[in-house]
Structure formats: C-alpha cells, structure tokens
Amino acid sequence: MDPPKPPPANKSAAGRSLIGYLISMDTTLSYKLHSLTQPFFPSFLFLILELSADFRLFFPISLSLLLSPTLLRPFLPPLILGLLLDLLVLCVIKLTFRRSRPLYNHTHSMNVAVPADHFSFPSGHASRVCFVASLAHLSAATIRQAMAPEDEGKALNFVLLAVWVWAVVTSVSRVLLGRHFVSDVFFGACVGVLEALFAFHFLRF
C-alpha cells in the first residue's frame, strides 16, 4: 500500500506568512531607527521638516507662485494639479489599507490635514516631497531655457540640489520622528515619483 501523500501546500497561508514576516521586519527596523536616533536628533527639527511639507502650508505657497516671474510658469500647472492628484491618490490608498501608525508615534504633536492621515501607509509627506523634487528635476530643462543666458543655470542647479536634499531628509525624518514605518516612506516616495512623471507628461499646459 502506497504511503499517504502529503497535503498540498497552502499557497495562501504561505503568502500570508511571508507578508507577516516582511511587516515584522519593517516594524522592527523602523522602531530601531527611531529609538537609536532619538538622543542625537532634536524632535523640533523633524517637526519643522514636517511643517515644511504639510499640504495646508505647501499648497497655498504653490498657488502664490502664480505671481512669480515668467520662468516658473511652465512648472506651475503640473505642480498645482499634481499636488491635488497626490492628495486624492494618498487618501484612496490610505483608506484602502488602513495601516495604523507606529505605537510610539506622539499623536499629540501631529495635526492631520484629512481624516485619512490617521493611517500610516503610505507616507503623504514622502510622496509630496518626492513629487515636488522629481517634477522640478523633470522641468529643469524648460525652466533653464527661460533663464538669462549668462546665468548658465548655476542658480537652478543649486535650487534643484537643495530641493532634493529637502525631499530626502524630510522622507527619512518621517521614520526617525516615529510617524511612519520604513515601507510607508519607501512606497510614498515611489508614488510621488510616479505622480511627477504623470504630471510632467499629461498635466502641462
């Protein structure tokens, strides 16, 4: 008599186990990064970065750029429409996954812009800053053409570098401040880059 065959592997259970393992690693890594940097980085610096990328501050500032010199005009329609798109996309994703923020997040110091901001995945700040930095990078050639020839784009290169530094530091600070997990920031940054590509190719007027 043949020995009984082993039961077929439960692919669904294996998938859940892998996802659980990745989430556990993400949670552990995020907490270690947060706890290790607390003695060295004052929280108020991270809060300033948080404020600098807050939609309620950043969007009105972007609208005010409509009064800026002509050289920024090609950059403004995709920027403003892209910020609105980012808000919509992030709300949909957050409300779909509904991932709770880290337990060590100090909610008393956090003001949410929309109800979806109570959820963690993905990071809206990381998405927003990476969208702005990516769009600025993609629009650099257009803006450079409108600048004075003698400038040779040196000022623009400096601004682009500053914007990318701001985007990277702000994104990293979301984990160090305890607002998000590492995966929240990573996927938020990816969303921002994809939105910038979409805005650059389809939202320019």
Side-chain angles (χ1 to χ4, degrees), residues 136-150:
H137 183 84
L138 292 169
S139 305
T142 303
I143 298 175
R144 187 176 285 111
Q145 290 176 357
M147 299 180 72
E150 61 272 13

Side-chain angles (χ1 to χ4, degrees), residues 7 84 88 105 162 181:
L84 293 173
L88 176 62
N105 174 40
F181 301 102

Side-chain angles (χ1 to χ4, degrees), residues 12-46:
S12 177
R16 288 196 299 270
S17 176
L18 176 61
I19 293 174
Y21 174 73
L22 293 175
I23 291 176
S24 177
M25 284 187 58
D26 182 35
T27 303
T28 301
L29 175 61
S30 302
Y31 177 71
K32 286 185 177 180
L33 291 173
H34 168 73
S35 58
L36 287 174
T37 56
Q38 285 305 293
F40 308 104
F41 294 98
S43 296
F44 78 89
L45 293 178
F46 295 150

Side-chain angles (χ1 to χ4, degrees), residues 122-190:
S123 168
H125 280 70
S127 174
R128 193 169 303 116
V129 296
C130 289
F131 162 73
V132 173
S134 299
L135 182 62
H137 183 84
L138 292 169
S139 305
T142 303
I143 298 175
R144 187 176 285 111
Q145 290 176 357
M147 299 180 72
E150 61 272 13
D151 183 81
E152 298 181 355
K154 292 181 180 179
L156 179 60
N157 291 336
F158 176 79
V159 171
L160 288 176
L161 176 61
V163 170
W164 273 113
V165 170
W166 167 70
V168 172
V169 174
T170 300
S171 297
V172 173
S173 74
R174 305 308 290 160
V175 177
L176 304 186
L177 186 60
R179 297 287 196 239
H180 288 282
F181 301 102
V182 172
S183 61
D184 300 338
V185 172
F186 174 77
F187 282 102
C190 291

Side-chain angles (χ1 to χ4, degrees), residues 68-79 135 139 141-146 199-200 203-205:
S68 65
T70 308
L71 61 89
L72 287 178
R73 291 299 170 84
F75 178 65
L76 296 182
L79 173 66
L135 182 62
S139 305
T142 303
I143 298 175
R144 187 176 285 111
Q145 290 176 357
F200 180 75
L203 299 181
R204 289 191 297 170
F205 301 101

